Amino acid sequence: IYDALSTPLRGQSGFGDKHKFLLSLFHDVAEYQQTLQSEKTCALNVRTSLVCKYDETVKTNVAYHKINSGKLLIKILECRNVPDEHKDFGVQVVTEAQVIALNFLLGRFFFACKIPFAVVDTVFF
């Protein structure tokens, strides 16, 4: 447990470049969590608290080895104090031809599933 508490990000690895950049926007704080169970393990007693460097009120607690970049990304995108240049994560732009192709494929899917277009129009648009 001591090693897990003293290792950055509790020793979790396998992060890509975008994930590492996202994590660089947070302070990494190790926390020991008391439980009612007699057994002491990293999974039960160690968690990570990630606090945004730009706004101390934006934080999330993460279980041992359960860092989720999707949740962190949402926190960063919703935070008003994070500069816009830190919010550009390489979003892919879809061309007009791709939109037309997707609409065509969705139309065929709804037709094959016998879903009325009135329902589709109400739910999706």
Side-chain angles (χ1 to χ4, degrees), residues 51-107:
V51 181
C52 181
K53 291 180 179 178
Y54 294 95
D55 186 351
E56 299 283 323
T57 63
V58 176
K59 58 184 172 181
T60 185
N61 293 320
V62 184
Y64 184 72
H65 275 251
K66 301 289 183 189
I67 295 174
N68 182 327
S69 60
K71 289 182 181 179
L72 296 179
L73 179 59
I74 290 169
K75 297 263 186 201
I76 290 297
L77 293 175
E78 290 177 346
C79 183
R80 294 182 182 176
N81 297 339
V82 175
D84 288 339
E85 61 266 12
H86 292 322
K87 294 182 180 182
D88 179 20
F89 289 94
V91 177
Q92 182 180 356
V93 177
V94 179
T95 66
E96 186 177 349
Q98 289 172 321
V99 171
I100 292 169
L102 286 171
N103 284 333
F104 175 75
L105 291 173
L106 281 173

Side-chain angles (χ1 to χ4, degrees), residues 32-47:
Y32 179 78
Q33 180 175 305
Q34 192 73 340
T35 62
L36 297 176
Q37 298 178 357
S38 60
E39 183 182 6
K40 305 289 184 211
T41 66
C42 293
L44 293 173
N45 300 101
V46 177
R47 73 176 183 181

Side-chain angles (χ1 to χ4, degrees), residues 1-8 10 30-33 45-47:
I1 290 178
Y2 175 78
D3 289 341
L5 290 169
S6 60
T7 305
R10 317 303 65 80
E31 294 181 355
Y32 179 78
Q33 180 175 305
N45 300 101
V46 177
R47 73 176 183 181

